[in-house]
């Protein structure tokens, strides 16, 4: 189930930075969300495959690719870092503005975020984080369902996400915010303990 963490109250990035390093959390509007337990193997296989394709394409290009755990701070305005109350760790984030990057991660909206859905986080990714990414100005947001092999794409137009583009994980899917990049989808994962593919 999608339940907020055991940390009760409202928190900021200043609080977050003092929490133990071996714990993973996200803050959304000051509410703490526990990022444990670790995702299942199919989730991780999908993240690795997507990261591999994107990294290969972006080599020698101006955009940077990061995968979780990587802190993305999403301020509401120009508040100091310690007052920011939204800090997320997307599965994959692509940032094309180097001014947003610092030693702590990213401050401001990445150009493209991918969340690979899992049973524990699917509701949050499709509702709470979708709304946060829209509000923060993430230009393209992908939700990948590795089991059902469905991709949902939100693109920011005039400051809002319109109707999503929903498609199966087959063939290839062009990325609107990274010109020339298309994600290639492999065959459906094999069963009976055989090695699975994207």
């Amino acid at each position: 189930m999608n339940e907020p963490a055991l940390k009760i109250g409202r928190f900021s990035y200043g609080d977050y930075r003092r929490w133990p390093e071996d714990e993973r959390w996200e803050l959304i509007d000051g509410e703490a969300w526990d990022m444990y337990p670790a995702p299942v193997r199919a989730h991780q296989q999908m993240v690795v495959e997507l990261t591999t394709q994107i990294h290969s394409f972006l080599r020698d290009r101006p955009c940077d690719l990061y995968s979780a755990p990587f802190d993305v701070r999403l301020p509401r305005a120009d508040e100091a870092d310690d007052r920011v109350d939204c800090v997320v760790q997307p599965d994959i984030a692509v940032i094309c503005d180097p001014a947003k990057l610092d030693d702590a991660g990213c401050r401001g909206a990445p150009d493209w975020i991918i969340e690979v859905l899992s049973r524990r986080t699917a509701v949050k990714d499709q509702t709470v984080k979708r709304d946060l990414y829209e509000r923060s100005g993430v230009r393209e947001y992908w939700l990948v369902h590795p089991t059902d092999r469905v991709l949902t794409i939100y693109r920011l137009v005039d400051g809002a996400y319109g109707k999503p583009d929903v498609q199966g994980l087959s063939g290839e899917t062009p990325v609107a915010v990274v010109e020339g990049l298309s994600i290639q989808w492999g065959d459906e994962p094999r069963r009976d303990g055989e090695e699975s593919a994207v």
Side-chain angles (χ1 to χ4, degrees), residues 91-103:
D91 288 318
I92 298 171
V94 173
I95 298 104
C96 299
D97 180 356
K100 293 181 178 180
L101 297 170
D102 58 24
D103 288 342

Side-chain angles (χ1 to χ4, degrees), residues 122-197:
V123 172
K124 178 178 70 168
D125 289 342
Q126 294 176 92
T127 58
V128 177
K129 288 178 90 172
R130 178 215 168 275
D131 293 347
L132 173 64
Y133 294 158
E134 178 182 46
R135 179 179 88 205
S136 300
V138 175
R139 295 168 51 209
E140 190 159 355
Y141 178 36
W142 286 23
L143 292 153
V144 180
H145 196 302
T147 305
D148 291 345
R149 298 192 56 77
V150 173
L151 170 65
T152 303
I153 302 174
Y154 290 96
R155 294 187 177 98
L156 202 65
V157 177
D158 297 326
Y161 290 147
K163 183 178 178 183
D165 177 8
V166 180
Q167 55 190 260
L169 299 186
S170 62
E172 65 180 62
T173 303
V175 181
V177 297
V178 181
E179 186 177 350
L181 173 59
S182 287
I183 298 300
Q184 310 293 320
W185 305 106
D187 296 330
E188 187 169 348
R190 289 180 267 180
R191 308 284 182 224
D192 302 324
E194 293 181 336
E195 194 65 33
S196 60

